[in-house]
Amino acid sequence: MKRSNVLFILPVVLALFLFFFFPLEEIIRYSFTNARLFEKGYSYTLINYKMIFTDPDFLHSLKITVIFVIFSVIGQVGLGLLLGLLFYRMENIGLRYFSLVTRTVIVSAWVLPGVAIGIMWKLMFSDFQFGIVNYFLSHFVFHKPTMISFLSNARNALIIVTVSNIWRGLAFSMLLQYAALKQVPKELYEVASLDGANKLQRFFFITLPCISQQLLINITIATISTFNVFDAILSLTRGGPGKSTEVLSLMVYRSVFSNTDLSYGSAVGVILLIINLLISLMYLRIIFRKEVRA
C-alpha cells in the first residue's frame, strides 16, 4: 500500500480506535473485574457472569426488553409497510404532492432527539390534570375531573413506552418500504391482473417477495436500534414505575451511575453487545443464503 493511501485512512483508523475499539475493550475488561465507579483498585474475577443469569433484576429487565423489542419491531415494520403502500397508492392516483407533504410530516418524528420525544410523551400522558390526554378526557369526554394512571401503572407505562418507540421509528420503516415498493416492476402487476389475480394475491405473491430483502434489513435495523433505546425511556419513565420499563440499556446506566457498580454494568453491556452481534450474524447468514441461491 502506498504511503499516501496510509496517510489518507490514518485519521479514520485513529477515530475508530479512540471512539470504538478502545471503549469496547475497556467495557469487556471491566466486566471481568469487581471495579466500582469512584473507588481505586480492583481485581479480576468472573463473579459478574456467575451471578448475572441468576439475578432477578437482570432476568426481569431482559424480559421487559424482549417484550419491548418484539412489539416495537412489529409495530414499526408493519405500520411502516402500510404507510409505504398508502403513499405508493396515493402517487399512482395523482396525489403526489399530498403524499410528499404527509411523508415530510411523518419524517419529522424521526429527526427529533430521543430526550425531546420522551419529554413530549411524558407531557401528553402525565397522570396529573395538566397531562394533555387527561385534560382532554376531563373536558371533552367525561366532562368531569379525570386522572387515568398512564405512567404510574406498570402495564400502561410499558404500553406507552412501546407506542412512543413505534412512533419514533415509524418514519424510517416507512421510507425504506416506500423506496422498495417503487422498485417493484409495474409490469408484474399488469401481467398478474391479466391472469385474474386480485389485490390480495398480487400483494402476497408479487409485492412481498420483491421487497423481502428490504423487509429483512428493516427488521434487523429496527431490532438492533430498539435493543439499544435509552434516551427516550430515560426522559419518559426513567425505567419506572418501579422497574417495569427498565430495559437492559437503562439497567447498564443504573448499575454504573446509580449503584456505582462499574463491573456489573459493564457485564450487562457485554450481554447486550452479544445479543446485537447474534442478530447481525443471523441477518448476514440469511442474506448470504439468498445470494447463493440467486
Side-chain angles (χ1 to χ4, degrees):
M1 185 180 291
K2 294 181 179 180
R3 183 178 179 183
S4 58
N5 293 336
V6 174
L7 292 175
F8 183 75
I9 66 171
L10 185 60
V12 178
V13 173
L14 289 175
L16 283 173
F17 178 78
L18 290 174
F19 300 107
F20 181 76
F21 292 112
F22 178 70
L24 179 61
E25 181 272 332
E26 286 294 281
I27 290 172
I28 295 173
R29 185 173 68 85
Y30 277 122
S31 70
F32 289 99
T33 69
N34 59 357
R36 301 193 68 85
L37 191 59
F38 300 111
E39 296 180 8
K40 293 182 178 181
Y42 54 83
S43 58
Y44 288 91
T45 175
L46 295 174
I47 188 64
N48 292 316
Y49 291 104
K50 289 180 179 179
M51 64 180 291
I52 197 167
F53 291 106
T54 58
D55 180 7
D57 286 346
F58 173 80
L59 297 176
H60 172 76
S61 183
L62 181 62
K63 175 185 174 182
I64 294 297
T65 304
V66 170
I67 294 172
F68 173 66
V69 169
I70 289 174
F71 285 99
S72 290
V73 172
I74 291 173
Q76 287 180 21
V77 176
L79 292 176
L81 180 57
L82 288 176
L83 286 175
L85 288 167
L86 175 62
F87 293 131
Y88 179 75
R89 177 62 179 166
M90 288 169 65
E91 287 196 359
N92 288 339
I93 61 175
L95 297 175
R96 180 181 181 87
Y97 292 106
F98 181 75
S99 171
L100 178 62
V101 172
T102 309
R103 291 201 311 271
T104 304
V105 172
I106 294 175
V107 169
S108 64
W110 186 33
V111 299
L112 287 174
V115 174
I117 291 173
I119 293 172
M120 182 177 67
W121 279 75
K122 189 172 185 177
L123 290 173
M124 289 175 57
F125 290 97
S126 174
D127 292 348
F128 300 101
Q129 290 296 320
F130 58 78
I132 295 173
V133 175
N134 271 325
Y135 180 86
F136 176 83
L137 293 175
S138 299
H139 289 78
F140 301 103
V141 179
F142 300 112
H143 302 290
K144 62 180 181 179
T146 303
M147 192 186 77
I148 298 177
S149 300
F150 289 114
L151 298 179
S152 61
N153 178 277
R155 184 183 62 181
N156 291 343
L158 183 57
I159 291 173
I160 290 170
V161 164
T162 305
V163 172
S164 70
N165 189 63
I166 292 172
W167 179 82
R168 181 186 186 184
L170 183 59
F172 174 77
S173 296
M174 180 268 294
L175 289 174
L176 192 61
Q177 301 312 323
Y178 172 76
L181 290 167
K182 295 280 285 184
Q183 301 303 314
V184 180
K186 292 184 179 181
E187 293 81 7
L188 295 177
Y189 295 114
E190 294 172 359
V191 172
S193 297
L194 292 174
D195 289 339
N198 57 38
K199 291 182 179 180
L200 200 60
Q201 289 172 326
R202 293 199 296 269
F203 174 75
F204 281 105
F205 294 104
I206 296 177
T207 305
L208 280 183
C210 287
I211 67 171
S212 59
Q213 188 160 345
Q214 287 82 358
L215 274 173
L216 181 60
I217 294 172
N218 192 178
I219 291 170
T220 305
I221 295 175
T223 303
I224 292 174
S225 62
T226 304
F227 260 110
N228 295 283
V229 168
F230 168 75
D231 47 359
I233 301 178
L234 181 67
S235 58
L236 178 55
T237 64
R238 299 190 69 84
K243 296 180 181 178
S244 59
T245 59
E246 186 180 78
V247 294
L248 288 176
S249 57
L250 243 67
M251 187 178 186
V252 174
Y253 173 83
R254 178 176 61 82
S255 298
V256 175
F257 295 103
S258 297
N259 300 341
T260 68
D261 195 342
L262 179 59
S263 60
Y264 193 76
S266 298
V268 177
V270 170
I271 298 297
L272 190 57
L273 172 65
I274 292 172
I275 293 172
N276 288 320
L277 286 174
L278 289 175
I279 295 170
S280 301
L281 290 173
M282 287 173 58
Y283 161 70
L284 291 173
R285 184 177 181 182
I286 294 172
I287 292 295
F288 178 74
R289 282 185 175 180
K290 286 190 174 184
E291 289 180 350
V292 170
R293 289 175 182 175

